[in-house]
Amino acid sequence: MAHVNLQQSSPLFRLPQELRDEIYTYLFLSTTIEYGAAFPPANSKTHKRKGSNSLEITRTCHRAKRDVGDTWLRLVFFIFRSPKAMLDVLAMLPVETRSKVGRVCVSDLPLRLGRKDGGGITPYSLHQVLKLLPGLRLDYFVVSPGDDSMGDLSHMEDLLKHSNGWKELHHIFKLPETDELLCSSKQSLLAKWNTVLENRDGAGSQPLVTIDPPAGHNGKESSKYWVVVAKRGVGVDYEEKVASPWIKGDIRQQKSNAVLDVRLRNRKYKWKELRELYVSSPDGDIECVYEYFSWNQNYGGD
């Protein structure tokens, strides 16, 4: 067994474990790691990954690595610029590791996929995309607005009805500059969404949906955005299950132009398999078509 230097001369390791844990918590809670590009130019090879310097503490010595372990996964804030970027990272993790991720932000741009054997392009919303992430059990899930979603609240109900993997959802909607009808319907939307979540989790578990306008400049409320905050009920199992039931338009069920083999009708495809269906090679350039752009990004082997 290799000898582990206890670093007794280090001011950090002379502190009690409880204080060191607090330091690690503050460090990782202030850390963001970003993947993907918001609107890259055509043929862009960019793959951003910011904020990972905070993880260097786990590489300084064996004792720091042992102290931290995998607790950082629950604390750092992962920002994904597209649903595809999220899948290319989280779907490739073992289920046990994925279940330890705690905070994620992703754009609400649709995931648009076109099969290499034809059939056109199919868009998938976030509630469908999350089905590809079994084991996910986020403490905090933020959905940020894409430019094509201005004022569109229609998919909020699908997230509340069909998605799992999050304990608290913050969905940010960018509103049109003038939409008095939308603002006047705020209470009716809240009532509808609360009913949906109560029917799912049970009223006794006290799930809650609220709409909070975020603070703008000088601490004043911003009229350009709504933040819909949904909290799952107390004691509710919100983990995305490995064998979760089919939903309408389930991304895990794929059909070719030929008659689907009866043995494959109930097969649930994984993201790694779907990548092979939509690209010429699993290790080659991956083409993703979104609402406003097409771009290629080179990846190595999984």
Side-chain angles (χ1 to χ4, degrees), residues 115 117-120 255-260:
R115 292 180 61 105
D117 59 2
K255 297 180 181 180
S256 66
N257 291 337
V259 177
L260 187 66

Side-chain angles (χ1 to χ4, degrees), residues 72-129:
W72 64 273
L73 284 167
R74 200 107 211 132
L75 301 173
V76 301
F77 198 19
F78 291 95
I79 299 177
F80 300 103
R81 293 297 186 176
S82 68
K84 180 191 170 294
M86 178 174 69
L87 290 173
D88 279 338
V89 175
L90 297 187
M92 301 306 180
L93 298 175
V95 173
E96 182 181 358
T97 303
R98 189 184 306 132
S99 69
K100 296 174 182 177
V101 175
R103 303 195 300 160
V104 162
C105 175
V106 66
S107 166
D108 70 352
L109 288 170
L111 175 65
R112 295 178 179 270
L113 300 178
R115 292 180 61 105
K116 64 182 181 182
D117 59 2
I121 295 173
T122 304
Y124 294 97
S125 298
L126 271 179
H127 73 282
Q128 297 164 316
V129 170

Side-chain angles (χ1 to χ4, degrees), residues 260-267:
L260 187 66
D261 191 308
V262 66
R263 294 170 298 177
L264 301 180
R265 287 178 184 170
N266 293 320
R267 177 181 176 182

Side-chain angles (χ1 to χ4, degrees), residues 80-81 105-109 142-146 149 170-173:
F80 300 103
R81 293 297 186 176
C105 175
V106 66
S107 166
D108 70 352
L109 288 170
V142 178
V143 181
S144 63
S149 62
H170 289 232
H171 200 318
I172 305 169
F173 291 95

